Amino acid sequence: MLGLGAAGVAAGPYLQQAQSAVAAKDPTGLTALLPGGGGFRYYSVVSSVPARTERTYALTVDGLVDRPARYRLADLRAMPQRRIVRDVQCVTGWRVPDTPFEGVSLAHLLDVAGVRAGAGAVRFTCFDGTYTESLTLDQARRDDVLLALRMQDAPVSHAHGGPVRLYVAPMYFYKSAKWLSGITVTPTVRPGYWERYGYDVDAWVGRSNGRDDAPTA
Ligand SMILES: Nc1nc2c(c(=O)[nH]1)N[C@H]1C(S)=C(S)[C@@H](COP(=O)(O)O)O[C@H]1N2
Ligand SMILES: [Mo]
């Protein structure tokens, strides 16, 4: 009993710290709605992100793969494209129903790269220089996980993380890394940016964080 109590006291400050860090850096309700954003809120953990263009954008794929590569936008557009229309759900409560995303399925890109034995996870890095995310290899191979080139039937805008963002349809939107610049296949999951502040690594909508009861559909 005494031991449990002590553990509770020890955990308390960490959780409070985590919550205030989230409030300071993910200020839902304080950030302006994007013009024509249709319910989306703009999120970035850094104050400004340089734009990448057709000429300057590249996606690096490396780690435990047979064929590490750098893909330009034209390379990604030449791959089979897949369209998904699902709800976007932020863990802080806002939701945008029936949002189309279109792009290359991550499973396809992983097949092209040739995942090696010993791989168990995928790590995502962003050209904002700071944000990171991760998925287990099984999650990454789902058919509802995309490297999105289009969102709402237009190229992904800079504000929404273009030219290429991740879209993990079954999970809270913090998994959907914006300004995607790197995919590294790793042995195990390395928790992403928000996950260091207490968000669940497995971010299934309605089944994690205990913050809402959204349907998983
Ligand atoms: N690079 C990067 N990706 C990110 C974030 C971020 O701050 N930086 N925020 C995440 C969170 S918490 C949400 S809700 C969505 C917001 O996407 P939006 O700005 O297109 O609405 O992006 C996710 N991906
Ligand atoms: Mo979010």
Side-chain angles (χ1 to χ4, degrees), residues 111-186:
D111 285 347
V112 170
V115 173
R116 290 195 173 166
V122 181
R123 174 170 164 80
F124 305 96
T125 49
C126 306
F127 63 82
D128 65 10
T130 302
Y131 204 77
T132 56
E133 255 307 334
S134 63
L135 291 170
T136 67
L137 200 51
D138 284 348
Q139 293 165 355
R141 285 191 162 130
R142 290 175 58 106
D143 63 6
D144 50 5
V145 176
L146 293 184
L147 310 175
L149 304 171
R150 295 172 65 79
M151 175 176 170
Q152 297 176 301
D153 295 317
V156 180
S157 67
H158 179 65
H160 281 304
V164 181
R165 81 178 293 167
L166 189 66
Y167 179 53
V168 183
M171 294 193 178
Y172 287 111
F173 209 27
Y174 64 86
K175 298 302 285 193
S176 295
K178 298 161 63 165
W179 306 299
L180 187 67
S181 58
I183 296 177
T184 304
V185 178
T186 56

Side-chain angles (χ1 to χ4, degrees), residues 12-161:
Y14 169 74
L15 285 176
Q16 270 173 13
Q17 214 179 0
Q19 275 164 4
S20 59
V22 168
K25 296 188 182 175
D26 193 13
T28 301
L30 300 178
T31 45
L33 290 178
L34 286 171
F40 284 93
R41 290 175 201 184
Y42 175 78
Y43 281 76
S44 176
V45 296
V46 300
S47 56
S48 78
V49 181
R52 295 260 166 111
T53 64
E54 191 81 39
R55 197 170 55 79
T56 57
Y57 181 79
L59 175 68
T60 303
V61 178
D62 59 14
L64 295 171
V65 294
D66 292 329
R67 292 171 288 279
R70 272 177 99 238
Y71 298 96
R72 313 307 298 260
L73 281 173
D75 302 323
L76 296 174
R77 273 191 223 108
M79 294 179 179
Q81 305 291 300
R82 182 181 183 82
R83 188 170 186 270
I84 297 178
V85 183
R86 297 271 295 274
D87 295 356
V88 160
Q89 176 75 52
C90 176
V91 72
T92 57
W94 57 273
R95 180 191 314 211
V96 184
D98 301 329
T99 306
F101 285 86
E102 203 175 321
V104 178
S105 92
L106 179 56
H108 175 79
L109 197 83
L110 291 172
D111 285 347
V112 170
V115 173
R116 290 195 173 166
V122 181
R123 174 170 164 80
F124 305 96
T125 49
C126 306
F127 63 82
D128 65 10
T130 302
Y131 204 77
T132 56
E133 255 307 334
S134 63
L135 291 170
T136 67
L137 200 51
D138 284 348
Q139 293 165 355
R141 285 191 162 130
R142 290 175 58 106
D143 63 6
D144 50 5
V145 176
L146 293 184
L147 310 175
L149 304 171
R150 295 172 65 79
M151 175 176 170
Q152 297 176 301
D153 295 317
V156 180
S157 67
H158 179 65
H160 281 304

